[in-house]
């Protein structure tokens, strides 16, 4: 248990909030510049999030939230859990934390200059290690749970691609089976896998991909959208075939399907954001007493719609109501299956508002803008915050969603 921060330290951290609001991104950008100069540390990060500035913005939001809530860091429990899960997926260890401390304090001194007094740097050193100790403790618990779980493991485990399936013109699925032939840990629907990949010409890369299959104890499936110019996504689509070996860490993530409940469920996705929801949907359908399920998906065209036929087949059973929106279509000529309604045009706030019910639990995944809009509509319709659950693809650099 981390020792509480003293009053003087907390007072200094709170006084730094205006400086973080003005210079937070500059500080975290400088911190990453220093941190990533070490090749052993650099290999732990998704470098695409560095190039587009997403990671520094996300960290700046997290640091600001920490400073604003330094008197009661317990309110940041969800953020801390998400960070801990991400760290475990990437195999972050206690030995890595001193590097971050050195880079962060050096960045604060560099950006704030003379304003970064010894007292301020000392306070931030204490605040950093308080949070680091909390994270290290939680990460130890998660590692231990992975180690003792049936089929679980710690560190990187070799898997091979047992099968690949083209799901749409942009999405391909990869079924992964362990090379040792032993069982795998049953994931909680909604979780993701982290990968350590050696991409020719680009060196070591780290990526997270949601598991798109229901847990079976034998394999996992990920479904990846090809991103033009994407280092890893293009390599997976073009060069990874059946038999290719990949290094994988155990399932992680806190965006998960809740326990058994009678509450109706709406699964709400856009684009490749449907991947964790597919795991949830198939798991719910495998249960004997599934709640009422409404699956709503937005995509550009029928050609970009992954898993469309699979969801339609489930909808014909009467256990799932299915709405799909094609944002780039102005008219539809395809026949509808029972239980499925097709819409030409984008999923609008007005349509969702008409569907919103305060007794329903909502699981949302898609681009940040889509999620921000959907979350705002549901809250305005009176849906309790606890019933709105969403997943970030990337680094949670959207201030409204991070809050």
């Amino acid at each position: 248990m981390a020792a509480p921060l003293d009053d003087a330290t907390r007072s200094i951290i709170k006084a730094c909030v205006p400086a973080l609001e003005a210079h937070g991104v500059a500080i975290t950008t400088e911190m990453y510049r220093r941190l990533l100069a070490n090749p052993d540390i650099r290999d732990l990060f998704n470098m695409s999030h560095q190039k587009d500035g997403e990671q520094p913005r996300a960290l700046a939001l997290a640091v600001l939230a920490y400073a604003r809530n330094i008197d009661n860091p317990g309110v940041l429990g969800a953020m801390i859990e998400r960070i801990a899960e991400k760290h475990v997926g990437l195999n972050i260890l206690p030995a890595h934390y001193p590097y971050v401390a050195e880079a962060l304090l050096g960045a604060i001194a560099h950006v704030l200059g003379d304003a970064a007094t010894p007292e301020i740097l000392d306070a931030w050193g204490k605040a950093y290690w308080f949070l680091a100790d909390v994270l290290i403790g939680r990460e130890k618990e998660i590692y231990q749970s992975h180690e003792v779980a049936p089929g679980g493991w710690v560190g990187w485990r070799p898997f091979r691609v047992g099968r690949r399936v083209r799901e749409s013109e942009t999405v391909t699925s990869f079924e992964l089976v362990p090379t040792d032939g032993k069982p795998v840990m049953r994931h909680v629907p909604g979780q993701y896998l982290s990968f350590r990949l050696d991409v020719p010409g680009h060196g070591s890369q780290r990526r997270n991909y949601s598991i798109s299959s229901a847990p079976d104890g034998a394999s996992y499936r990920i479904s990846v959208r090809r991103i033009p110019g994407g280092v890893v996504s293009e390599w997976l689509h073009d060069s990874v075939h059946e038999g290719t070996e990949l290094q994988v860490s155990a399932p992680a993530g806190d965006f998960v399907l809740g326990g058994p409940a009678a509450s109706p469920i709406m699964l709400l996705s856009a684009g490749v954001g449907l991947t964790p929801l597919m795991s949830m949907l198939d798991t719910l359908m495998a249960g004997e007493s599934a709640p009422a399920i409404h699956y709503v998906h937005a995509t550009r065209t029928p050609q970009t719609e992954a898993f469309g036929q699979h969801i339609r087949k489930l909808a014909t059973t009467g256990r799932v109501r299915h709405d799909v929106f094609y944002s780039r279509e102005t008219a539809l000529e395809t026949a509808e299956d029972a239980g499925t309604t097709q819409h030409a045009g984008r999923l609008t706030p007005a349509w969702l508002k008409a569907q919103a019910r305060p007794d329903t639990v909502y699981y949302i995944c898609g681009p940040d803008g889509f999620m921000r809009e959907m979350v705002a509509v549901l809250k305005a319709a009176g849906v309790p915050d606890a019933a709105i659950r969403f997943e970030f693809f990337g680094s949670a650099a959207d201030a409204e969603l991070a809050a």
Side-chain angles (χ1 to χ4, degrees):
M1 178 69 70
L5 294 171
D6 59 82
D7 291 343
T9 295
R10 288 187 285 107
S11 179
I12 291 172
I13 297 300
K14 287 187 289 185
C16 289
V17 166
L20 291 174
E21 291 173 337
H23 306 293
V25 174
I27 290 171
T28 54
T29 299
E30 173 64 17
M31 187 209 81
Y32 278 116
R33 186 190 69 79
R34 292 164 178 256
L35 192 61
L36 300 179
N38 182 333
D40 293 332
I41 300 298
R42 182 173 61 241
D43 286 347
L44 296 171
F45 290 89
N46 180 338
M47 295 306 295
S48 69
H49 292 158
Q50 299 297 323
K51 293 176 181 178
D52 61 16
E54 182 180 340
Q55 189 71 55
R57 288 194 300 274
L59 181 59
L61 285 173
V63 173
L64 179 58
Y66 181 42
R68 285 174 172 167
N69 293 279
I70 197 69
D71 284 333
N72 184 21
V75 303
L76 302 176
M79 182 182 79
I80 290 171
E81 181 65 18
R82 180 176 184 273
I83 293 171
E85 290 280 352
K86 187 78 72 173
H87 282 181
V88 168
L90 294 171
N91 289 290
I92 301 295
L93 301 172
H96 295 127
Y97 278 87
Y99 293 100
V100 181
E102 181 181 2
L104 175 61
L105 296 178
I108 292 172
H110 176 82
V111 173
L112 299 186
D114 293 341
T117 63
E119 293 78 12
I120 285 178
L121 292 176
D122 180 65
W124 273 103
K126 292 177 178 177
Y128 170 80
W129 280 109
F130 172 82
L131 182 59
D133 286 344
V134 171
L135 287 167
I136 289 170
R138 177 59 185 137
E139 289 156 17
K140 181 180 179 180
E141 293 175 345
I142 299 173
Y143 282 126
Q144 289 175 338
S145 70
H146 288 179
E147 189 171 25
V148 302
W153 72 96
V154 173
W156 301 105
R157 182 178 178 182
F159 280 68
R160 64 177 176 80
V161 176
R163 192 165 67 108
R164 55 175 283 166
V165 178
R166 188 173 185 267
E167 308 289 0
S168 74
E169 67 177 19
T170 58
V171 174
T172 295
S173 287
F174 301 85
E175 182 184 280
L176 306 171
V177 293
T179 59
D180 59 17
K182 297 180 180 179
V184 300
M185 178 177 141
R186 292 177 69 89
H187 65 283
V188 184
Q191 288 188 310
Y192 55 79
L193 299 174
S194 297
F195 293 79
R196 183 181 67 184
L197 306 169
D198 186 12
V199 180
H202 298 277
S204 183
Q205 300 286 326
R206 299 291 188 276
R207 292 295 187 274
N208 304 319
Y209 292 108
S210 294
I211 303 169
S212 61
S213 55
D216 63 10
S219 65
Y220 304 111
R221 182 184 67 192
I222 61 171
S223 303
V224 182
R225 177 173 68 93
R226 177 191 287 271
I227 300 173
V231 169
V232 173
S233 72
E234 290 200 333
W235 176 72
L236 286 170
H237 278 253
D238 295 338
S239 302
V240 172
H241 303 285
E242 295 177 4
T244 299
E245 187 172 298
L246 303 173
Q247 298 295 317
V248 185
S249 67
D254 63 334
F255 173 67
V256 295
L257 188 64
S263 298
I265 288 176
M266 178 181 281
L267 305 174
L268 184 56
S269 63
V272 78
L274 88 170
T275 51
L277 304 191
M278 289 305 304
S279 180
M280 295 181 183
L281 177 61
D282 285 344
T283 300
L284 288 167
M285 292 296 293
E288 293 182 359
S289 57
I293 306 168
H294 188 180
Y295 194 104
V296 182
H297 181 59
T299 187
R300 295 196 301 272
T301 67
Q303 290 70 43
T304 63
E305 181 186 4
F307 299 106
Q309 290 304 314
H310 177 65
I311 300 172
R312 283 171 169 75
K313 183 177 180 180
L314 295 179
T316 62
T317 67
R319 296 175 63 189
V320 181
R321 176 185 165 197
H322 179 216
D323 282 270
V324 57
F325 290 78
Y326 302 110
S327 62
R328 294 189 179 178
E329 299 292 300
T330 56
L332 294 170
E333 299 179 356
T334 56
E336 290 188 348
D337 296 305
T340 295
T341 302
Q342 301 176 75
H343 305 263
R346 66 185 297 270
L347 168 55
T348 65
W351 185 89
L352 180 61
K353 182 179 180 181
Q355 310 297 318
R357 300 290 184 272
D359 64 340
T360 297
V361 179
Y362 297 83
Y363 294 88
I364 310 171
C365 192
D368 285 0
F370 168 83
M371 292 196 298
R372 184 173 62 249
E373 185 174 56
M374 299 298 106
V375 169
V377 170
L378 294 173
K379 288 185 175 182
V383 178
D385 287 358
I388 304 173
R389 307 170 187 181
F390 49 90
E391 171 70 306
F392 298 102
F393 276 173
S395 303
D398 185 294
E400 293 181 51
L401 291 177

